[in-house]
């Protein structure tokens, strides 16, 4: 549609200028039409229409949304060759987002340090992106350093910033620090959103999973209980838990052996709309909860429900089911499940 509009303007003798091209490219970026956005960018050059900083930022944003970090970095190189176009904070932040989406967090952090070296006026979006890169790159300490740094610079963190920092702590196994950050938000009257609560609950689920793999195999810190409390806090705050929320709470309950709580949550998901339908992770976590408590019948039903929902079990799902059967003293059934899994070995690999 954008290309047709461009052709129509030219047919009517109205040559599009930079502002019009920027508007058309922005429409493509919004609708995740990277290919068309790049075509429009090329047509600007063909028609001797000079791109400006907004042009580059918009095309790079389209690259970021598509996870095309290499294309975004190629545009960064081009903008530095333009004699009248200068990259701004948005340019660098967009490049960071593209690298993060493309799972190149190291490059994103390098760009952020480059911004600092050039004494650019950093804003909350730049810092939030840097902390997000730390979260996804397992650098929780650096993420907290950036959080402290921005506060000292007088830049107020927003819910996105805190969500990224909490996520960083969760990925680093620092659930206490994750909850402390959530507490800080409340003290500073910054309202946590769904993503913030999800990050905090996920931090508890990940740590409870580590506890389960420890020597004791027990959730001695009762992280499942903390996860359920955050779940309730979230609803009391008027926020609607999403599928990720439910799955994370079920995961924490599963690791803590709280099979009844896990089943209750799975049932709510099953009775809800498509957006809340249980995933493979949700079912497997609930089966794990049953396994730890020797509830083999419930585990078998969950496994059957998962298959009926069109979800193909993986090795983790099968292992959880076999564990429940062995704990429930049903070795024959466990052996049957083993044979079934071996029969699907190629698919599961």
């Amino acid at each position: 549609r954008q290309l047709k509009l461009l052709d129509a303007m030219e047919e009517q003798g109205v040559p599009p200028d930079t502002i019009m091209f920027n508007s058309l490219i922005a429409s493509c970026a919004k609708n995740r039409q990277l290919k068309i956005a790049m075509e429009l960018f090329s047509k600007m050059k063909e028609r001797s229409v000079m791109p400006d900083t907004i042009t580059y930022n918009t095309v790079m944003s389209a690259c970021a949304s598509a996870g095309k970090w290499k294309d975004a970095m190629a545009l960064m190189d081009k903008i530095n060759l333009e004699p009248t176009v200068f990259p701004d904070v948005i340019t660098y932040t967009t490049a960071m987002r593209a690298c993060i989406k493309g799972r190149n967090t190291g490059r994103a952090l390098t760009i952020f340090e480059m911004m600092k070296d050039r004494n650019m006026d950093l804003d909350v979006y730049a810092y939030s992106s840097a902390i997000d890169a730390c979260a996804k790159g397992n650098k929780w300490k650096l993420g907290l350093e950036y959080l402290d740094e921005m506060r000292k610079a007088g830049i107020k963190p927003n819910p996105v910033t805190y969500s990224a920092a909490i996520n960083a702590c969760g990925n680093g196994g620092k659930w206490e620090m994750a909850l402390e950050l959530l507490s800080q938000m409340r003290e500073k009257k910054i309202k946590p959103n769904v993503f913030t609560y999800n990050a905090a609950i996920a931090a508890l689920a990940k740590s409870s999973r580590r506890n389960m793999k420890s020597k004791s195999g027990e959730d001695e810190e009762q992280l499942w209980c903390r996860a359920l409390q955050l779940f309730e806090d979230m609803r009391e705050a008027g926020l609607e838990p999403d599928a990720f929320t439910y799955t994370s709470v079920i995961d924490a309950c599963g690791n803590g052996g709280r099979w009844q709580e896990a089943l209750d949550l799975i049932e709510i998901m099953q009775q809800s709309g498509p957006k809340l339908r249980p995933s493979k992770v949700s079912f497997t976590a609930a089966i794990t909860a049953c396994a730890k408590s020797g509830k083999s019948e419930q585990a078998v039903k969950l496994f059957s429900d998962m298959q009926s929902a069109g979800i193909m079990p993986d090795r983790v799902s099968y292992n959880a089911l076999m564990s429940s059967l062995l704990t429930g003293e049903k070795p024959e059934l466990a052996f049957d499940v083993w044979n079934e899994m071996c029969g699907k070995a190629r698919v599961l690999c």
Side-chain angles (χ1 to χ4, degrees):
R1 189 173 64 180
Q2 292 88 346
L3 294 174
K4 288 182 179 180
L5 178 59
L6 183 67
D7 292 336
M9 291 180 66
E10 292 179 334
E11 287 175 3
Q12 295 175 12
V14 182
D17 56 10
T18 303
I19 295 175
M20 176 53 67
F21 268 107
N22 287 349
S23 178
L24 293 173
I25 293 172
S27 174
C28 293
K30 183 179 180 181
N31 293 294
R32 298 179 180 273
Q33 297 171 315
L34 176 59
K35 185 178 179 181
I36 299 176
M38 296 296 279
E39 284 185 38
L40 287 168
F41 183 71
S42 297
K43 287 182 180 295
M44 288 185 75
K45 296 283 188 178
E46 293 171 5
R47 289 161 174 74
S48 299
V49 179
M50 292 300 297
D52 57 15
T53 305
I54 295 175
T55 313
Y56 276 96
N57 291 350
T58 308
V59 179
M60 287 174 65
S61 180
C63 293
S65 297
K68 301 290 185 180
W69 71 271
K70 290 184 179 179
D71 291 337
M73 295 311 300
L75 288 165
M76 275 286 288
D77 292 337
K78 284 184 178 180
I79 195 173
N80 288 321
L81 297 175
E82 296 276 7
T84 59
V85 184
F86 305 97
D88 57 14
V89 174
I90 297 174
T91 314
Y92 283 95
T93 303
T94 304
M96 287 173 61
R97 286 199 306 108
C99 291
I100 294 169
K101 189 77 179 288
R103 299 183 180 181
N104 194 335
T105 56
R107 188 69 174 269
L109 292 174
T110 298
I111 294 170
F112 184 65
E113 290 299 328
M114 190 186 302
M115 294 170 72
K116 292 166 67 177
D117 291 341
R118 296 182 179 182
N119 295 315
M120 301 187 76
D121 291 328
L122 303 179
D123 56 18
V124 64
Y125 303 105
Y127 270 105
S128 296
S129 295
I131 296 172
D132 186 34
C134 292
K136 292 180 171 64
N138 293 316
K139 297 180 181 294
W140 68 272
K141 287 184 180 179
L142 182 59
L144 293 184
E145 287 176 14
Y146 284 152
L147 181 62
D148 187 52
E149 185 180 289
M150 69 184 291
R151 286 169 174 162
K152 290 178 179 178
I155 303 171
K156 293 182 179 180
N158 61 21
V160 175
T161 317
Y162 274 104
S163 297
I166 291 171
N167 192 31
C169 292
N171 289 340
K174 303 298 178 181
W175 66 266
E176 300 98 328
M177 184 59 69
L179 296 191
E180 171 60 26
L181 289 171
L182 184 61
S183 178
Q184 288 179 20
M185 289 184 71
R186 291 165 174 162
E187 291 173 4
K188 297 177 183 296
K189 308 299 180 184
I190 300 174
K191 289 185 178 181
N193 57 28
V194 173
F195 299 105
T196 314
Y197 275 106
N198 281 353
I201 294 171
L204 294 168
K206 290 170 185 174
S207 291
S208 67
R209 203 178 307 138
R210 290 188 181 95
N211 289 346
M212 189 179 71
K213 294 178 180 178
S214 66
K215 291 182 180 180
S216 66
E218 297 294 331
D219 183 9
E220 297 174 353
E221 295 161 315
Q222 300 286 291
L223 300 185
W224 66 269
C225 188
R226 297 174 188 270
L228 280 173
Q229 184 58 59
L230 285 180
F231 182 78
E232 292 303 323
D233 291 347
M234 185 178 179
R235 295 203 293 186
E236 288 177 8
L239 297 173
E240 192 68 32
D242 58 17
F244 185 89
T245 318
Y246 275 93
T247 300
S248 296
V249 179
I250 291 170
D251 190 12
C253 290
N255 297 327
R258 306 300 298 188
W259 66 274
Q260 189 60 64
E261 288 84 350
L263 291 186
D264 290 343
L265 290 167
I266 278 281
E267 187 176 345
I268 292 173
M269 294 183 79
Q270 288 176 312
Q271 294 175 353
S272 301
K275 290 184 178 180
L276 274 185
R277 292 287 161 77
S279 65
K280 184 185 300 182
V281 177
S282 311
F283 275 115
T284 303
I287 294 170
T288 300
C290 295
K292 286 181 69 69
S293 304
K295 302 295 180 181
S296 58
E297 291 183 10
Q298 288 84 350
V300 170
K301 183 180 184 306
L302 284 169
F303 194 83
S304 176
D305 288 346
M306 178 168 60
Q307 292 177 310
S308 297
I311 300 172
M312 181 180 175
D314 57 13
R315 291 189 180 215
V316 180
S317 308
Y318 272 106
N319 287 339
L321 178 60
M322 285 189 291
S323 177
S324 72
L325 292 170
L326 290 171
T327 306
E329 299 182 353
K330 295 181 180 179
E332 297 85 0
L333 288 177
F335 186 69
D336 290 342
V337 172
W338 168 259
N339 285 331
E340 180 183 333
M341 184 177 76
C342 290
K344 297 180 179 179
R346 292 183 180 178
V347 178
L348 293 173
C349 291

